[in-house]
Amino acid sequence: MPEFPDDSVGLVTPQTAHFDDPLALACGRTLPAYDLVYETYGTLNTERSNAVLVCHALSGHHHAAGYHGADERKPGWWDAHIGPGKSIDTNRFFVVSLNNLGGCHGSTGPISTNPASGRQWGPDFPMVTVSDWVHSQARLADRLGIERFAAVIGGSLGGMQVLQWTRIYPERVANAVIIAATPKLSAQNIAFNEVARQAIRSDPDFHDGWYAEHGTAPRRGLKLARMVGHITYLSEDAMGSKFGRDLRSQDLNFGYDVEFQVESYLRYQGDTFSTTFDANTYLLMTKALDYFDPAAEHGGVLAEAVAPSQCPFLVVSFTSDWRFPPSRSRELANALTRAGKPVSYVNIDSPHGHDAFLLPEPRYQAVFAAFMSRAARELGLEETA
C-alpha cells in the first residue's frame, strides 16, 4: 500500500451518477439525460447529517482531495483544506465534490456525445448557469440520500454556487462558506472574460466550436485565455516577489522569445492548461460567471435576494485579491446583515491575490476550521473515524 500523509484522505476513486430525468435549464432548453462525476471523502453517518458539498471554481473539477494513484504527483485541488484534522475534517464530515455540468472532466458537457445526433455536443451544448448547477447538485444529493448539507462551501465561482444554494434550497443548507467570491461580476471582470473568449474564438483551429470534428483544438487561443486569467488570479506583489524582472539568461536578446522569468511562467501555465481543458467548456463557464446576478430580479437590492437563506454564513476575502476584491465580499456580508442573517466576515491579509483561497494560509485555516468546528458541535457531529 502506498504511504500518504496522515492528514490525507489517501486514495480516492471517482464515481458517476447517471440521471435520466430531464433537467430544464435557465436558457430555455432541456438536458434530456446527463452524468455527474463526483468524489467523496470521509464517512456518511447513519443520520446522513454530516455531509458537506464543495463547489468548484471555473477550471476546477471533482478531484478536490487525495490521490487517484500512488504515482500521482499532486493531490486534489483543495487538499490543503480537506482531510483528517483539516478545516473540513473528514473525521467528522462526509465531503462531496463534483464536476459541474458543462465540465470536461467526466460530467456531461461539450465533449460528451449528444444522444439526439450521435455526434459530440461541441458548441451545441446548452448554456448553463449557476442555478442550473445547483439544481443538478440537489439531484445528486437526493441520489446520495442527503436531505440537508451540514455545510455548502466554495471559493470564487464556487462561492457563487453556495450563495445560490442558500437562496433556492435554503432548507437544505445548515451552514454556508463563501470564499473570495462576489454577488456579481464587475464590468472589468466581464471584460477580462470576453478577452479570454475572443482569444479562443478567433483561433483558426476553433472552427466555430466544432474543432474535435476537424481533429484539432484551439490551443493557442486557450493558452492566451489562461495567461490572461492567470494574471488576474495573482497579485502584483506575488508576481513581483516570485519573478520580479528576472531574466532567464544574463543578457537581453532583443527579440520576442522568452526573456523574463514571468514570461516563461505564463507560457508554461498556458501550454499546460491548453492540453488539459476543453475550450467550449471554458466559454460556458465564463458565461455562467457573467450571468450570475441574484439581485437583478429584486431591483438590484441584494438584501432582498438573500432573504430566503436560513443559515449562518462565513464570508472570507483576501487583501490582495483584485479579481474579487474585499469590497465585494463586504457588500455581500452587509446585505446578509441587513437581511437579518447571521454572518461572520473576515478579510485575510495575504500577498497571494485571488489564488489565496486555494492555499494553506494559517489565519485563513484557523478561521475556516473554527467555523466548521462550531458547525459540527451545533449539529452534534461526532468523529466517524
Side-chain angles (χ1 to χ4, degrees), residues 95-263:
V95 183
V96 180
S97 175
L98 77 160
N99 183 214
N100 284 336
L101 284 176
C104 54
H105 293 93
S107 292
T108 298
I111 65 173
S112 306
T113 299
N114 180 350
S117 65
R119 66 195 296 208
Q120 196 177 83
W121 274 103
D124 277 352
F125 193 81
M127 285 284 184
V128 289
T129 65
V130 171
S131 291
D132 297 327
W133 288 334
V134 170
H135 288 309
S136 67
Q137 291 162 6
R139 289 189 178 185
L140 177 61
D142 292 341
R143 180 71 60 85
L144 297 175
I146 300 166
E147 295 183 0
R148 185 176 186 237
F149 282 107
V152 181
I153 302 171
S156 192
L157 178 56
M160 296 178 180
Q161 295 165 63
V162 176
L163 181 57
Q164 198 69 348
W165 257 99
T166 67
R167 297 181 64 246
I168 59 181
Y169 293 106
E171 73 287 350
R172 302 189 69 168
V173 184
N175 294 275
V177 182
I178 299 175
I179 307 167
T182 175
K184 66 179 179 182
L185 289 195
S186 65
Q188 184 186 52
N189 270 296
I190 294 173
F192 278 124
N193 286 344
E194 176 60 5
V195 170
R197 287 191 294 266
Q198 288 304 313
I200 293 169
R201 292 174 60 82
S202 61
D203 188 317
D205 288 330
F206 183 65
H207 296 289
D208 294 323
W210 295 109
Y211 42 87
E213 295 188 354
H214 290 263
T216 186
R219 291 195 174 91
R220 286 167 292 181
L222 194 54
K223 173 182 176 178
L224 290 174
R226 184 59 171 179
M227 290 171 70
V228 169
H230 206 75
I231 291 170
T232 71
Y233 304 148
L234 301 176
S235 69
E236 182 178 4
D237 286 345
M239 295 187 78
S241 62
K242 190 170 185 176
F243 306 107
R245 291 180 53 84
D246 293 349
L247 296 169
R248 294 190 70 194
S249 60
Q250 292 184 344
D251 300 313
L252 298 174
N253 61 31
F254 297 99
Y256 296 107
D257 290 333
V258 173
E259 295 183 271
F260 294 93
Q261 292 288 2
V262 68
E263 293 175 317

Side-chain angles (χ1 to χ4, degrees), residues 27-148:
C27 67
R29 296 175 62 184
T30 297
L31 204 57
Y34 55 94
D35 292 336
L36 292 177
V37 170
Y38 66 99
E39 290 181 1
T40 65
Y41 322 111
T43 303
L44 186 62
N45 62 14
T46 303
E47 298 79 14
R48 297 179 181 270
S49 62
N50 68 333
V52 168
L53 176 66
V54 170
C55 304
H56 69 70
L58 188 152
S59 59
H61 43 70
H62 55 281
H63 186 36
Y67 300 82
H68 285 161
D71 58 346
E72 189 172 45
R73 188 170 60 90
K74 291 183 178 181
W77 59 269
W78 226 23
D79 193 80
H81 298 283
I82 301 172
K86 295 180 182 177
S87 299
I88 308 175
D89 188 352
T90 50
N91 288 333
R92 287 188 168 184
F93 296 107
F94 173 73
V95 183
V96 180
S97 175
L98 77 160
N99 183 214
N100 284 336
L101 284 176
C104 54
H105 293 93
S107 292
T108 298
I111 65 173
S112 306
T113 299
N114 180 350
S117 65
R119 66 195 296 208
Q120 196 177 83
W121 274 103
D124 277 352
F125 193 81
M127 285 284 184
V128 289
T129 65
V130 171
S131 291
D132 297 327
W133 288 334
V134 170
H135 288 309
S136 67
Q137 291 162 6
R139 289 189 178 185
L140 177 61
D142 292 341
R143 180 71 60 85
L144 297 175
I146 300 166
E147 295 183 0
R148 185 176 186 237

